[in-house]
Amino acid sequence: MIIKDAILETVCGITSKLPENSFPEIAMAGKSNVGKSSLINNLVCRKALARTSSEPGKTQTINYYLINKCFYFVDLPGYGYAKVSKETKEKWGKMIENYLYTSKQLKSVILLLDIRHAPGENDRTMYDWIVQSGFTPVIVATKLDKLKRSEVSKAIKEIKTGLGLDSSAEIIKFSAKTGDGREELLNLIESVVSPD
């Protein structure tokens, strides 16, 4: 798949009504500093389509990026590290849950995890939400470039164990810096949005 066209089309806050789109949606979920924006920018070959920040918790909205005028990347609010009140976190949680349960065009959910860390409670909750919504999450282990090659298989095993996955479960190892995993992820996305 070659991405030639990408625009931020819709931004939904806590009180916004979700749009009723006619194109397929691929949702991106993950902790606040897991690299969702970097992954989106890497896939669309743009440096700043999705805003990246050194301060976790910047994505506080659901952002719809129209890709190739035929499907959406839906960037869900990052969870976990954001320095916000418990009440706001709960509202974000409800917003994400509402999206997962009600979007009519959602075709797949990509769950991003930092390859350097075992899944935390928030990651497991998000994984469970995705499964309860009727999807098998695509697990992408980000920041591959931060590990030595000899450390990768142990880190992947920890992710599988932490999420209770079968040892044969597929995990895409990804680096926005080096481009590792990019083609694999794009091929998977293409198979979802144009299954024929």
Side-chain angles (χ1 to χ4, degrees):
M1 169 183 273
I2 296 169
I3 293 179
K4 295 180 176 175
D5 190 61
I7 58 163
L8 174 57
E9 187 181 88
T10 311
V11 176
C12 291
I14 286 167
T15 57
S16 307
K17 186 176 182 291
L18 296 173
E20 291 187 15
N21 292 321
S22 54
F23 293 135
E25 295 170 7
I26 306 274
M28 311 264 185
K31 269 184 188 161
S32 299
N33 62 346
V34 77
K36 278 192 290 101
S37 299
S38 297
L39 179 136
I40 291 169
N41 289 335
N42 179 280
L43 292 180
V44 302
C45 297
R46 296 261 292 275
K47 281 189 176 165
L49 178 68
R51 283 183 308 182
T52 59
S53 170
S54 57
E55 191 182 322
K58 276 295 181 193
T59 304
Q60 301 180 10
T61 51
I62 297 179
N63 297 334
Y64 290 77
Y65 297 93
L66 180 59
I67 309 298
N68 287 352
K69 298 185 173 69
C70 66
F71 72 95
Y72 289 94
F73 284 150
V74 181
D75 186 11
L76 301 174
Y79 54 82
Y81 292 122
K83 291 178 183 172
V84 295
S85 69
K86 190 177 172 207
E87 184 188 359
T88 303
K89 281 182 186 172
E90 283 171 4
K91 283 180 181 169
W92 288 355
K94 287 196 178 99
M95 184 162 67
I96 294 169
E97 208 174 2
N98 176 49
Y99 169 77
L100 291 174
Y101 290 138
T102 63
S103 170
K104 292 184 176 70
Q105 292 299 330
L106 181 57
K107 303 299 178 199
S108 182
V109 185
I110 296 170
L111 179 59
L112 281 66
L113 298 169
D114 187 327
I115 197 167
R116 299 170 298 174
H117 307 296
E121 189 183 339
N122 287 318
D123 297 313
R124 288 191 291 273
T125 299
M126 179 56 72
Y127 181 84
D128 290 342
W129 277 356
I130 297 166
V131 170
Q132 286 160 17
S133 306
F135 296 93
T136 301
V138 174
I139 309 295
V140 174
T142 62
K143 310 194 181 187
L144 178 63
D145 53 282
K146 306 275 189 190
L147 283 189
K148 292 178 188 155
R149 200 170 282 183
S150 60
E151 299 170 323
V152 172
S153 60
K154 180 174 179 265
I156 292 296
K157 192 176 175 188
E158 278 189 358
I159 289 174
K160 289 180 180 179
T161 304
L163 292 177
L165 302 178
D166 191 76
S167 61
S168 62
E170 283 294 314
I171 291 181
I172 295 175
K173 300 179 285 290
F174 183 86
S175 166
K177 196 173 180 180
T178 65
D180 276 301
R182 181 177 187 271
E183 287 306 313
E184 191 182 347
L185 187 51
L186 283 172
N187 289 340
L188 189 145
I189 289 165
E190 186 171 30
S191 72
V192 171
V193 296
S194 40
D196 47 358

